[in-house]
Amino acid sequence: MGLKIVVLAKQVPDTRNVGKDAMKADGTVNRAALPAIFNPEDLNALEQALRLKDKYPGTEVTILTMGPGRAADIIREGLYRGADNGYLLTDRAFAGSDTLATSYAISCAIKKMEKCDLIIAGRQAIDGDTAQVGPQVAEKLGLPQVTYAEEVLSADKKKIVIKRRLERGVETVEMPLPGVITVNASAPDCRPRNAKLLMKYKHAQTITERQAETEDYIDLTADRPYLNIEEWSVNDIETDTNWLGLSGSPTKVKKIENVVFQAKEAKRLTPADEEIDELMKELIANHTIG
């Protein structure tokens, strides 16, 4: 029993390195100023898909992402870990999309693909923390959904059994297929790169990447089609451009504030017993401790 699984993944700015240039004047993220990484919870989602692939022979895992050309990096990361192929949605018309416009573009892309049995996504991305794209994709495709998934317990062509981690406990739920699940960070971490797969897919590229290397590029996909990362623009999927990008995004940023935490006062101590004793008495007196 093989399943067709689509993993929704996002390349996000590394929020551990946010500086003063992290945001543009229009309120959108300045992605060029920040290092890019694979969204952490999307890696948890990928691991669940790969476990289903291990368990059910014939299962195919496809990575789908939307972003600039460099977002192809996370498709390659997915291939190195066990995914079978990937699709990159990239076009200037997608720029500035909020969750509504993003989920619209992704749902249109999924409709263009061959029929899939399961769509898996991370619960939320660290750059927006909205947890909206997965559920919105499910709504736009008219599919059932299960959120806060921690583990896929079993699956067949008609249904899937999922363990959910909620604030006050754990649920085991059954969902008919096709459907959508979003995965928590509490789910198992994604497996590391596989050395054989790294050697196999290290030259996997989009057509734009291959053409950018040299004007007289060599198309390696002629005899190795698995090295082709499919690249789709607005013209490749059936969309209404009024629902894309900034024009299709009702979310508007009104104001951005940079908050810098500064210590009001500092006290230096020597390791002398008297000074440490005095500090302890002060902390107890102002109820910081004790």
Side-chain angles (χ1 to χ4, degrees), residues 103 107 111 132-145 180:
S103 61
S107 62
K111 289 177 183 176
Q132 293 174 353
V133 171
Q136 286 178 353
V137 168
E139 287 296 313
K140 287 179 171 63
L141 294 175
L143 298 176
Q145 58 178 294
V180 178

Side-chain angles (χ1 to χ4, degrees), residues 259-271:
V259 179
V260 179
F261 294 101
Q262 294 180 337
K264 292 184 178 180
E265 61 181 73
K267 183 179 291 187
R268 291 181 179 274
L269 301 175
T270 67

Side-chain angles (χ1 to χ4, degrees), residues 143-219:
L143 298 176
Q145 58 178 294
V146 173
T147 55
Y148 300 101
E150 188 173 67
E151 184 181 0
V152 177
L153 300 177
S154 65
D156 59 37
K157 281 298 215 178
K158 294 184 178 180
K159 66 180 185 300
I160 188 169
V161 180
I162 302 158
K163 182 176 81 172
R164 303 176 74 209
R165 174 69 59 177
L166 304 176
E167 185 177 348
R168 298 188 179 182
V170 175
E171 283 184 353
T172 299
V173 296
E174 183 178 288
M175 180 183 73
L177 294 179
V180 178
I181 66 173
T182 62
V183 180
N184 282 346
S186 61
D189 292 335
C190 191
R191 63 196 64 185
R193 295 175 173 183
N194 179 287
K196 289 183 178 180
L197 293 176
L198 177 60
M199 295 303 295
K200 178 179 179 180
Y201 290 110
K202 65 180 181 180
H203 294 299
Q205 292 179 311
T206 64
I207 182 67
T208 302
E209 288 177 315
R210 289 196 298 274
Q211 291 176 336
E213 287 185 347
T214 173
E215 294 181 1
D216 187 25
Y217 73 95
I218 299 174
D219 188 358

Side-chain angles (χ1 to χ4, degrees), residues 70-120:
R70 67 174 183 171
D73 287 341
I74 66 168
I75 295 179
R76 280 184 284 272
E77 275 298 323
L79 295 172
Y80 299 157
R81 297 167 192 259
D84 298 287
N85 51 61
Y87 292 84
L88 171 63
L89 289 178
T90 185
D91 198 302
R92 290 298 303 168
F94 297 136
S97 293
D98 68 358
T99 60
L100 197 66
T102 298
S103 61
Y104 173 68
I106 288 174
S107 62
C108 290
I110 291 174
K111 289 177 183 176
K112 179 180 171 65
M113 294 180 183
E114 295 181 7
K115 182 180 177 182
C116 69
D117 299 299
L118 181 63
I119 300 166
I120 307 181

Side-chain angles (χ1 to χ4, degrees), residues 6-7 17 29-30 34 51 60 73 98 100 104 111 120 126 149 190 193 217 221 223 240 256:
V6 175
V7 176
N17 297 285
V29 177
N30 184 9
L34 295 169
R51 290 188 177 200
E60 182 179 279
D73 287 341
D98 68 358
L100 197 66
Y104 173 68
K111 289 177 183 176
I120 307 181
I126 61 173
C190 191
R193 295 175 173 183
Y217 73 95
T221 64
D223 57 346
D240 180 344
I256 300 173

